[in-house]
PDB file of all heavy atoms in Angstrom:
ATOM      1  N   TYR V 530     -82.224 -91.771 184.421  1.00  0.00           N
ATOM      2  CA  TYR V 530     -82.352 -90.934 183.226  1.00  0.00           C
ATOM      3  C   TYR V 530     -81.209 -90.545 182.395  1.00  0.00           C
ATOM      4  O   TYR V 530     -81.235 -90.326 181.218  1.00  0.00           O
ATOM      5  CB  TYR V 530     -83.284 -89.669 183.592  1.00  0.00           C
ATOM      6  CG  TYR V 530     -84.551 -89.980 184.115  1.00  0.00           C
ATOM      7  CD1 TYR V 530     -85.263 -89.146 184.791  1.00  0.00           C
ATOM      8  CD2 TYR V 530     -85.246 -91.179 183.878  1.00  0.00           C
ATOM      9  CE1 TYR V 530     -86.564 -89.343 185.365  1.00  0.00           C
ATOM     10  CE2 TYR V 530     -86.503 -91.449 184.359  1.00  0.00           C
ATOM     11  CZ  TYR V 530     -87.108 -90.531 185.096  1.00  0.00           C
ATOM     12  OH  TYR V 530     -88.453 -90.812 185.700  1.00  0.00           O
ATOM     13  N   VAL V 531     -80.154 -90.457 183.200  1.00  0.00           N
ATOM     14  CA  VAL V 531     -78.785 -90.197 182.482  1.00  0.00           C
ATOM     15  C   VAL V 531     -77.812 -91.352 182.354  1.00  0.00           C
ATOM     16  O   VAL V 531     -76.942 -91.311 181.519  1.00  0.00           O
ATOM     17  CB  VAL V 531     -78.056 -88.925 183.137  1.00  0.00           C
ATOM     18  CG1 VAL V 531     -78.903 -87.759 182.962  1.00  0.00           C
ATOM     19  CG2 VAL V 531     -77.810 -89.212 184.621  1.00  0.00           C
ATOM     20  N   ALA V 532     -78.151 -92.310 183.322  1.00  0.00           N
ATOM     21  CA  ALA V 532     -77.195 -93.462 183.229  1.00  0.00           C
ATOM     22  C   ALA V 532     -77.541 -94.472 182.178  1.00  0.00           C
ATOM     23  O   ALA V 532     -76.654 -95.286 181.690  1.00  0.00           O
ATOM     24  CB  ALA V 532     -77.218 -94.283 184.699  1.00  0.00           C
ATOM     25  N   ASP V 533     -78.847 -94.575 181.819  1.00  0.00           N
ATOM     26  CA  ASP V 533     -79.276 -95.530 180.842  1.00  0.00           C
ATOM     27  C   ASP V 533     -79.773 -94.776 179.543  1.00  0.00           C
ATOM     28  O   ASP V 533     -80.622 -93.945 179.561  1.00  0.00           O
ATOM     29  CB  ASP V 533     -80.574 -96.266 181.400  1.00  0.00           C
ATOM     30  CG  ASP V 533     -81.050 -97.411 180.662  1.00  0.00           C
ATOM     31  OD1 ASP V 533     -80.955 -97.347 179.299  1.00  0.00           O
ATOM     32  OD2 ASP V 533     -81.413 -98.478 181.124  1.00  0.00           O
ATOM     33  N   GLU V 534     -79.051 -95.026 178.525  1.00  0.00           N
ATOM     34  CA  GLU V 534     -79.181 -94.268 177.163  1.00  0.00           C
ATOM     35  C   GLU V 534     -80.562 -94.287 176.734  1.00  0.00           C
ATOM     36  O   GLU V 534     -81.054 -93.486 175.931  1.00  0.00           O
ATOM     37  CB  GLU V 534     -78.139 -94.577 176.193  1.00  0.00           C
ATOM     38  CG  GLU V 534     -78.150 -96.164 175.719  1.00  0.00           C
ATOM     39  CD  GLU V 534     -77.203 -96.506 174.756  1.00  0.00           C
ATOM     40  OE1 GLU V 534     -76.275 -95.639 174.416  1.00  0.00           O
ATOM     41  OE2 GLU V 534     -77.278 -97.531 174.012  1.00  0.00           O
ATOM     42  N   ARG V 535     -81.195 -95.458 176.962  1.00  0.00           N
ATOM     43  CA  ARG V 535     -82.620 -95.717 176.496  1.00  0.00           C
ATOM     44  C   ARG V 535     -83.505 -94.535 177.136  1.00  0.00           C
ATOM     45  O   ARG V 535     -84.394 -93.970 176.372  1.00  0.00           O
ATOM     46  CB  ARG V 535     -83.100 -97.065 176.824  1.00  0.00           C
ATOM     47  CG  ARG V 535     -82.396 -98.233 176.226  1.00  0.00           C
ATOM     48  CD  ARG V 535     -82.787 -99.478 176.718  1.00  0.00           C
ATOM     49  NE  ARG V 535     -82.448 -99.593 178.121  1.00  0.00           N
ATOM     50  CZ  ARG V 535     -82.678-100.691 178.851  1.00  0.00           C
ATOM     51  NH1 ARG V 535     -83.308-101.684 178.463  1.00  0.00           N
ATOM     52  NH2 ARG V 535     -82.383-100.704 180.189  1.00  0.00           N
ATOM     53  N   PHE V 536     -83.440 -94.299 178.297  1.00  0.00           N
ATOM     54  CA  PHE V 536     -84.224 -93.279 179.081  1.00  0.00           C
ATOM     55  C   PHE V 536     -83.828 -91.960 178.458  1.00  0.00           C
ATOM     56  O   PHE V 536     -84.647 -91.064 178.305  1.00  0.00           O
ATOM     57  CB  PHE V 536     -84.085 -93.295 180.450  1.00  0.00           C
ATOM     58  CG  PHE V 536     -84.775 -94.301 181.191  1.00  0.00           C
ATOM     59  CD1 PHE V 536     -84.087 -95.535 181.414  1.00  0.00           C
ATOM     60  CD2 PHE V 536     -86.048 -94.251 181.426  1.00  0.00           C
ATOM     61  CE1 PHE V 536     -84.932 -96.609 182.052  1.00  0.00           C
ATOM     62  CE2 PHE V 536     -86.890 -95.236 182.117  1.00  0.00           C
ATOM     63  CZ  PHE V 536     -86.178 -96.507 182.431  1.00  0.00           C
ATOM     64  N   THR V 537     -82.439 -91.657 178.240  1.00  0.00           N
ATOM     65  CA  THR V 537     -81.940 -90.479 177.855  1.00  0.00           C
ATOM     66  C   THR V 537     -82.407 -90.122 176.521  1.00  0.00           C
ATOM     67  O   THR V 537     -82.966 -89.046 176.294  1.00  0.00           O
ATOM     68  CB  THR V 537     -80.446 -90.496 177.880  1.00  0.00           C
ATOM     69  OG1 THR V 537     -79.819 -90.795 179.048  1.00  0.00           O
ATOM     70  CG2 THR V 537     -79.948 -89.094 177.425  1.00  0.00           C
ATOM     71  N   LYS V 538     -82.427 -91.067 175.539  1.00  0.00           N
ATOM     72  CA  LYS V 538     -82.886 -90.852 174.152  1.00  0.00           C
ATOM     73  C   LYS V 538     -84.326 -90.503 174.143  1.00  0.00           C
ATOM     74  O   LYS V 538     -84.896 -89.618 173.481  1.00  0.00           O
ATOM     75  CB  LYS V 538     -82.619 -92.037 173.320  1.00  0.00           C
ATOM     76  CG  LYS V 538     -81.142 -92.181 173.092  1.00  0.00           C
ATOM     77  CD  LYS V 538     -80.948 -93.409 172.086  1.00  0.00           C
ATOM     78  CE  LYS V 538     -79.556 -93.516 171.763  1.00  0.00           C
ATOM     79  NZ  LYS V 538     -79.187 -94.753 170.874  1.00  0.00           N
ATOM     80  N   ASN V 539     -85.217 -91.200 174.918  1.00  0.00           N
ATOM     81  CA  ASN V 539     -86.622 -91.065 174.949  1.00  0.00           C
ATOM     82  C   ASN V 539     -87.008 -89.693 175.535  1.00  0.00           C
ATOM     83  O   ASN V 539     -87.792 -88.973 174.971  1.00  0.00           O
ATOM     84  CB  ASN V 539     -87.252 -92.166 175.926  1.00  0.00           C
ATOM     85  CG  ASN V 539     -88.765 -92.134 175.722  1.00  0.00           C
ATOM     86  OD1 ASN V 539     -89.378 -92.064 174.703  1.00  0.00           O
ATOM     87  ND2 ASN V 539     -89.454 -91.993 176.965  1.00  0.00           N
ATOM     88  N   LEU V 540     -86.381 -89.365 176.597  1.00  0.00           N
ATOM     89  CA  LEU V 540     -86.640 -87.969 177.176  1.00  0.00           C
ATOM     90  C   LEU V 540     -86.163 -86.805 176.342  1.00  0.00           C
ATOM     91  O   LEU V 540     -86.776 -85.862 176.199  1.00  0.00           O
ATOM     92  CB  LEU V 540     -86.129 -87.791 178.648  1.00  0.00           C
ATOM     93  CG  LEU V 540     -86.651 -88.718 179.704  1.00  0.00           C
ATOM     94  CD1 LEU V 540     -85.815 -88.660 180.879  1.00  0.00           C
ATOM     95  CD2 LEU V 540     -88.096 -88.148 180.014  1.00  0.00           C
ATOM     96  N   ASP V 541     -85.042 -87.008 175.722  1.00  0.00           N
ATOM     97  CA  ASP V 541     -84.459 -86.009 174.870  1.00  0.00           C
ATOM     98  C   ASP V 541     -85.314 -85.721 173.440  1.00  0.00           C
ATOM     99  O   ASP V 541     -84.943 -84.929 172.694  1.00  0.00           O
ATOM    100  CB  ASP V 541     -83.024 -86.257 174.533  1.00  0.00           C
ATOM    101  CG  ASP V 541     -82.045 -85.868 175.693  1.00  0.00           C
ATOM    102  OD1 ASP V 541     -82.597 -85.309 176.733  1.00  0.00           O
ATOM    103  OD2 ASP V 541     -80.772 -86.069 175.597  1.00  0.00           O
ATOM    104  N   LYS V 542     -86.265 -86.641 173.328  1.00  0.00           N
ATOM    105  CA  LYS V 542     -87.137 -86.386 172.045  1.00  0.00           C
ATOM    106  C   LYS V 542     -88.010 -85.046 172.328  1.00  0.00           C
ATOM    107  O   LYS V 542     -88.427 -84.504 171.457  1.00  0.00           O
ATOM    108  CB  LYS V 542     -88.008 -87.648 171.932  1.00  0.00           C
ATOM    109  CG  LYS V 542     -87.315 -88.797 171.341  1.00  0.00           C
ATOM    110  CD  LYS V 542     -88.254 -90.016 171.339  1.00  0.00           C
ATOM    111  CE  LYS V 542     -87.614 -91.292 170.800  1.00  0.00           C
ATOM    112  NZ  LYS V 542     -88.492 -92.371 170.771  1.00  0.00           N
ATOM    113  N   TYR V 543     -88.170 -84.795 173.694  1.00  0.00           N
ATOM    114  CA  TYR V 543     -88.966 -83.591 173.956  1.00  0.00           C
ATOM    115  C   TYR V 543     -88.128 -82.374 173.819  1.00  0.00           C
ATOM    116  O   TYR V 543     -88.633 -81.150 173.866  1.00  0.00           O
ATOM    117  CB  TYR V 543     -89.521 -83.738 175.453  1.00  0.00           C
ATOM    118  CG  TYR V 543     -90.518 -84.860 175.648  1.00  0.00           C
ATOM    119  CD1 TYR V 543     -90.188 -86.077 175.776  1.00  0.00           C
ATOM    120  CD2 TYR V 543     -91.852 -84.476 175.417  1.00  0.00           C
ATOM    121  CE1 TYR V 543     -91.107 -87.142 175.985  1.00  0.00           C
ATOM    122  CE2 TYR V 543     -92.844 -85.442 175.539  1.00  0.00           C
ATOM    123  CZ  TYR V 543     -92.330 -86.920 175.771  1.00  0.00           C
ATOM    124  OH  TYR V 543     -93.334 -87.823 175.869  1.00  0.00           O
ATOM    125  N   GLY V 544     -86.699 -82.460 173.613  1.00  0.00           N
ATOM    126  CA  GLY V 544     -85.844 -81.320 173.679  1.00  0.00           C
ATOM    127  C   GLY V 544     -84.435 -81.805 174.105  1.00  0.00           C
ATOM    128  O   GLY V 544     -84.360 -82.483 175.147  1.00  0.00           O
ATOM    129  N   GLU V 545     -83.357 -81.448 173.351  1.00  0.00           N
ATOM    130  CA  GLU V 545     -82.064 -81.828 173.774  1.00  0.00           C
ATOM    131  C   GLU V 545     -81.735 -81.298 175.116  1.00  0.00           C
ATOM    132  O   GLU V 545     -81.936 -80.022 175.494  1.00  0.00           O
ATOM    133  CB  GLU V 545     -81.099 -81.184 172.777  1.00  0.00           C
ATOM    134  CG  GLU V 545     -79.711 -81.779 172.933  1.00  0.00           C
ATOM    135  CD  GLU V 545     -79.540 -83.209 172.501  1.00  0.00           C
ATOM    136  OE1 GLU V 545     -80.372 -83.586 171.590  1.00  0.00           O
ATOM    137  OE2 GLU V 545     -78.627 -83.948 173.039  1.00  0.00           O
ATOM    138  N   GLY V 546     -81.281 -82.279 175.950  1.00  0.00           N
ATOM    139  CA  GLY V 546     -80.849 -81.942 177.264  1.00  0.00           C
ATOM    140  C   GLY V 546     -81.905 -82.116 178.389  1.00  0.00           C
ATOM    141  O   GLY V 546     -81.700 -81.789 179.506  1.00  0.00           O
ATOM    142  N   THR V 547     -83.066 -82.549 177.987  1.00  0.00           N
ATOM    143  CA  THR V 547     -84.124 -82.738 178.847  1.00  0.00           C
ATOM    144  C   THR V 547     -83.885 -83.755 179.924  1.00  0.00           C
ATOM    145  O   THR V 547     -84.154 -83.439 181.094  1.00  0.00           O
ATOM    146  CB  THR V 547     -85.505 -83.216 178.079  1.00  0.00           C
ATOM    147  OG1 THR V 547     -85.892 -82.027 177.105  1.00  0.00           O
ATOM    148  CG2 THR V 547     -86.650 -83.341 179.124  1.00  0.00           C
ATOM    149  N   ALA V 548     -83.230 -84.903 179.497  1.00  0.00           N
ATOM    150  CA  ALA V 548     -82.986 -85.968 180.435  1.00  0.00           C
ATOM    151  C   ALA V 548     -82.042 -85.422 181.546  1.00  0.00           C
ATOM    152  O   ALA V 548     -82.147 -85.690 182.897  1.00  0.00           O
ATOM    153  CB  ALA V 548     -82.395 -87.247 179.684  1.00  0.00           C
ATOM    154  N   ARG V 549     -80.932 -84.819 181.110  1.00  0.00           N
ATOM    155  CA  ARG V 549     -80.056 -84.370 182.115  1.00  0.00           C
ATOM    156  C   ARG V 549     -80.545 -83.213 183.040  1.00  0.00           C
ATOM    157  O   ARG V 549     -80.288 -83.276 184.251  1.00  0.00           O
ATOM    158  CB  ARG V 549     -78.714 -83.727 181.493  1.00  0.00           C
ATOM    159  CG  ARG V 549     -77.714 -83.211 182.493  1.00  0.00           C
ATOM    160  CD  ARG V 549     -76.345 -83.198 181.841  1.00  0.00           C
ATOM    161  NE  ARG V 549     -75.906 -84.595 181.540  1.00  0.00           N
ATOM    162  CZ  ARG V 549     -75.390 -85.456 182.330  1.00  0.00           C
ATOM    163  NH1 ARG V 549     -75.209 -85.105 183.570  1.00  0.00           N
ATOM    164  NH2 ARG V 549     -74.912 -86.629 181.970  1.00  0.00           N
ATOM    165  N   PHE V 550     -81.338 -82.207 182.419  1.00  0.00           N
ATOM    166  CA  PHE V 550     -82.036 -81.312 183.296  1.00  0.00           C
ATOM    167  C   PHE V 550     -82.969 -81.976 184.362  1.00  0.00           C
ATOM    168  O   PHE V 550     -82.982 -81.529 185.437  1.00  0.00           O
ATOM    169  CB  PHE V 550     -82.616 -80.290 182.496  1.00  0.00           C
ATOM    170  CG  PHE V 550     -83.387 -79.148 183.299  1.00  0.00           C
ATOM    171  CD1 PHE V 550     -82.544 -78.073 183.676  1.00  0.00           C
ATOM    172  CD2 PHE V 550     -84.655 -79.260 183.733  1.00  0.00           C
ATOM    173  CE1 PHE V 550     -83.180 -77.009 184.437  1.00  0.00           C
ATOM    174  CE2 PHE V 550     -85.193 -78.201 184.463  1.00  0.00           C
ATOM    175  CZ  PHE V 550     -84.449 -77.152 184.805  1.00  0.00           C
ATOM    176  N   MET V 551     -83.708 -82.851 183.709  1.00  0.00           N
ATOM    177  CA  MET V 551     -84.754 -83.459 184.723  1.00  0.00           C
ATOM    178  C   MET V 551     -84.035 -84.299 185.843  1.00  0.00           C
ATOM    179  O   MET V 551     -84.435 -84.274 186.960  1.00  0.00           O
ATOM    180  CB  MET V 551     -85.560 -84.417 183.757  1.00  0.00           C
ATOM    181  CG  MET V 551     -86.797 -85.080 184.495  1.00  0.00           C
ATOM    182  SD  MET V 551     -87.815 -85.791 183.359  1.00  0.00           S
ATOM    183  CE  MET V 551     -89.143 -86.385 184.389  1.00  0.00           C
ATOM    184  N   SER V 552     -82.898 -84.922 185.510  1.00  0.00           N
ATOM    185  CA  SER V 552     -82.118 -85.664 186.456  1.00  0.00           C
ATOM    186  C   SER V 552     -81.566 -84.796 187.619  1.00  0.00           C
ATOM    187  O   SER V 552     -81.558 -84.914 188.776  1.00  0.00           O
ATOM    188  CB  SER V 552     -80.975 -86.407 185.871  1.00  0.00           C
ATOM    189  OG  SER V 552     -80.161 -87.044 186.767  1.00  0.00           O
ATOM    190  N   GLU V 553     -81.012 -83.570 187.072  1.00  0.00           N
ATOM    191  CA  GLU V 553     -80.386 -82.563 188.027  1.00  0.00           C
ATOM    192  C   GLU V 553     -81.489 -82.031 188.842  1.00  0.00           C
ATOM    193  O   GLU V 553     -81.293 -81.678 190.108  1.00  0.00           O
ATOM    194  CB  GLU V 553     -79.777 -81.548 187.139  1.00  0.00           C
ATOM    195  CG  GLU V 553     -78.458 -81.965 186.453  1.00  0.00           C
ATOM    196  CD  GLU V 553     -77.811 -80.939 185.527  1.00  0.00           C
ATOM    197  OE1 GLU V 553     -78.443 -79.911 185.450  1.00  0.00           O
ATOM    198  OE2 GLU V 553     -76.644 -81.189 185.092  1.00  0.00           O
ATOM    199  N   ALA V 554     -82.655 -81.743 188.318  1.00  0.00           N
ATOM    200  CA  ALA V 554     -83.707 -81.168 189.033  1.00  0.00           C
ATOM    201  C   ALA V 554     -84.322 -82.162 190.090  1.00  0.00           C
ATOM    202  O   ALA V 554     -84.720 -81.717 191.222  1.00  0.00           O
ATOM    203  CB  ALA V 554     -84.952 -80.737 188.144  1.00  0.00           C
ATOM    204  N   ILE V 555     -84.412 -83.375 189.755  1.00  0.00           N
ATOM    205  CA  ILE V 555     -84.861 -84.465 190.824  1.00  0.00           C
ATOM    206  C   ILE V 555     -83.818 -84.526 191.956  1.00  0.00           C
ATOM    207  O   ILE V 555     -84.066 -84.588 193.052  1.00  0.00           O
ATOM    208  CB  ILE V 555     -84.925 -85.690 190.014  1.00  0.00           C
ATOM    209  CG1 ILE V 555     -86.199 -85.736 189.110  1.00  0.00           C
ATOM    210  CG2 ILE V 555     -85.072 -86.886 191.035  1.00  0.00           C
ATOM    211  CD1 ILE V 555     -86.425 -86.900 188.229  1.00  0.00           C
TER     212      ILE V 555
END
């Protein structure tokens, strides 16, 4: 989710920082 910018951009559409937070939570 943070290594691949395609996933990062898609998740961050729900709110800036969503991808990184989700990655850290997982």
Side-chain angles (χ1 to χ4, degrees):
Y530 294 157
V531 291
D533 191 321
E534 64 177 11
R535 294 170 298 179
F536 283 96
T537 303
K538 288 180 180 179
N539 187 53
L540 287 171
D541 281 358
K542 290 178 182 177
Y543 293 87
E545 189 69 27
T547 300
R549 180 158 296 281
F550 181 84
M551 194 170 174
S552 177
E553 292 173 352
I555 289 174

